[in-house]
Structures are given as C-alpha cells and as structure tokens.
C-alpha cells in the first residue's frame, strides 16, 4: 500500500518514514536506512527519521554512523533523553566508555526516572571500573601486609611514586608513615577523580 502511495506522491516524507518503520520491523535494516535517508533529504528537520536511522545503523553494528546520526538528532532536539541513552549504547559498543557514561548521565539529568538509562549507566560503570577494585579494597589482610611493608620501606627523606592509585590507599599510607613526598597516578579518569576526593578528605 505504501509503495502504491509513493507512486502517487513520490515526495511525501511521511510515506518514506512509514515504509522505513515497516522494513525495520521485517529486519530489512539496509532498506529501512535508505528510506530514512530519503525522508531526511525531503525534510531535513525530521527528528524521528534521524533517530530511526541511527537505531538501524546500530542494529547493523555500524556504530560510528549511528553516533553521527544521534548527534544530529541532539542538534535538532537537545533534550531528547532517549537519543542520549541510545548514543551511549553505541559509544559503549564502539569502545568509548567515558563518552558513553556522559551520555547516560545526560539522559538521566533530562529524565530522572529513566530506568533504562540508569541500568545502562550501571553496566558501563561496571565495565569502566572493574569490580575487583572493591574486593581488593575490602581485603584487610592484603592492606595490612602493605602497611607493614610501607613502614619498613618508607623513610622521612623518601620520595614515593605509586603507579595506579586506585582509591589512593597506598599513597596515603606512605604519606602517613613519614614519606617526604608522595606522587600517585591513575589512568582511569573516574577512579582518578574519586581518589582525589578521598585523598582530599
């Protein structure tokens, strides 16, 4: 029916949009993408066409194209929480966890009761900050062993360099046991920010 309608009104973006949805429902993602592109050509501010275009790119594993399309959606509608959530998923799949986390947080800021975005944020954070950090922090035997070793190794004139600070625990133990200066570093930005807060307190 839609194809017949297109023969009568070949420049109607709504028909191409509905055809795209139908093809998407049949898992014909490439064809759906072609129809959404036709919609956008006819009506460049058709937000849902961009959104569905991005979704279909994502379903095909074309994450960079999906991210680009989501950015266009958000240019047209900056408060579109679902687009931020979906872009967060595409960024995560494309290996950009840090930007992914920012997108999920933005979606939740716009829509505080957005449960799906909250779940996606939790998942991204678990990947970004591995759970063994928590287990390690709660390992009293390990921490006491490090404390005893630091007491033996650190002197008043010591310059201590710790690589991979985590929570900052070992750096603080070195400082508390008389090190003249302690330098600690961390490549994971979320862990680094948390360590700064802990050490500051």
């Amino acid at each position: 029916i839609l194809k017949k309608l297109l023969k009568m009104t070949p420049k109607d973006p709504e028909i191409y949009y509905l055809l795209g949805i139908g093809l998407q429902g049949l898992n014909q993602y490439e064809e759906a993408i072609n129809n959404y592109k036709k919609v956008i050509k006819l009506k460049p501010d058709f937000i849902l066409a961009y959104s569905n275009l991005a979704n279909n790119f994502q379903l095909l594993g074309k994450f960079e194209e999906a991210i680009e399309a989501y950015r266009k959606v958000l240019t047209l509608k900056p408060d579109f929480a679902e687009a931020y959530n979906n872009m967060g998923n595409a960024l995560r799949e494309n290996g950009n966890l840090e930007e992914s986390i920012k997108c999920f947080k933005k979606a939740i800021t716009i829509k505080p009761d957005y449960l799906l975005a909250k779940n996606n944020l939790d998942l991204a954070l678990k990947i970004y900050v591995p759970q063994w950090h928590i287990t390690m922090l709660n390992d009293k035997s390990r921490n006491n062993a490090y404390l005893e070793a630091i007491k033996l190794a650190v002197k008043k004139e010591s310059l201590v360099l710790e690589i991979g600070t985590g929570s900052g625990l070992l750096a603080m133990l070195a400082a508390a046991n008389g090190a003249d200066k302690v330098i600690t570093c961390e490549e994971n930005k979320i862990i680094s920010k948390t360590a700064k807060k802990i050490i500051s307190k």
Side-chain angles (χ1 to χ4, degrees):
I1 293 170
L2 290 171
K3 287 180 179 178
K4 286 179 182 177
L5 285 172
L6 275 176
K7 287 180 181 178
M8 293 186 288
T9 54
K11 292 189 177 180
D12 187 337
E14 296 285 346
I15 296 173
Y16 282 112
Y17 177 70
L18 291 172
L19 189 55
I21 291 173
L23 289 162
Q24 185 176 330
L26 294 169
N27 299 331
Q28 296 178 29
Y29 304 126
E30 292 284 4
E31 284 301 309
I33 285 168
N34 290 335
N35 278 275
Y36 293 132
K37 284 181 177 178
K38 288 173 184 175
V39 174
I40 292 161
K41 190 173 181 180
L42 292 165
K43 193 176 178 183
D45 61 347
F46 201 134
I47 295 168
L48 290 177
Y50 272 110
S51 183
N52 283 1
L53 176 67
N55 292 342
N56 278 268
F57 276 134
Q58 195 162 341
L59 288 165
L60 288 170
K62 297 182 177 181
F63 300 116
E64 288 183 13
E65 291 94 331
I67 291 161
E68 186 181 335
Y70 286 129
R71 289 194 199 286
K72 183 62 181 177
V73 172
L74 292 165
T75 301
L76 296 168
K77 188 175 170 57
D79 62 344
F80 197 166
E82 287 77 8
Y84 274 110
N85 177 66
N86 292 339
M87 186 163 77
N89 283 327
L91 285 160
R92 187 188 66 217
E93 293 291 340
N94 206 38
N96 193 338
L97 277 169
E98 194 173 332
E99 288 301 312
S100 169
I101 288 164
K102 286 179 185 176
C103 283
F104 295 135
K105 286 181 176 179
K106 184 70 176 176
I108 295 162
T109 300
I110 294 166
K111 194 174 174 181
D113 60 345
Y114 196 176
L115 188 58
L116 184 58
K118 288 179 179 180
N119 288 339
N120 285 332
L121 175 60
D122 285 345
L123 175 62
L125 286 170
K126 282 176 183 174
I127 297 168
Y128 198 62
V129 182
Q131 293 301 292
W132 54 261
H133 277 278
I134 296 165
T135 306
M136 193 169 65
L137 277 174
N138 289 305
D139 186 342
K140 289 182 180 178
S141 298
R142 169 195 175 272
N143 296 337
N144 285 331
Y146 268 110
L147 173 59
E148 294 307 314
I150 286 168
K151 282 179 180 177
L152 293 171
V154 172
K155 304 192 173 22
K156 287 185 179 178
E157 67 276 8
S158 293
L159 166 59
V160 175
L161 169 63
E162 181 195 21
I163 299 171
T165 196
S167 65
L169 176 64
L170 301 184
M172 290 186 290
L173 288 175
N177 283 280
D180 181 52
K181 188 173 185 181
V182 180
I183 299 168
T184 188
C185 56
E186 174 60 57
E187 67 174 349
N188 184 309
K189 290 184 181 179
I190 290 177
I191 293 176
S192 174
K193 285 177 185 176
T194 305
K196 281 181 182 179
K197 289 178 185 176
I198 293 168
I199 292 167
S200 176
K201 286 185 178 182

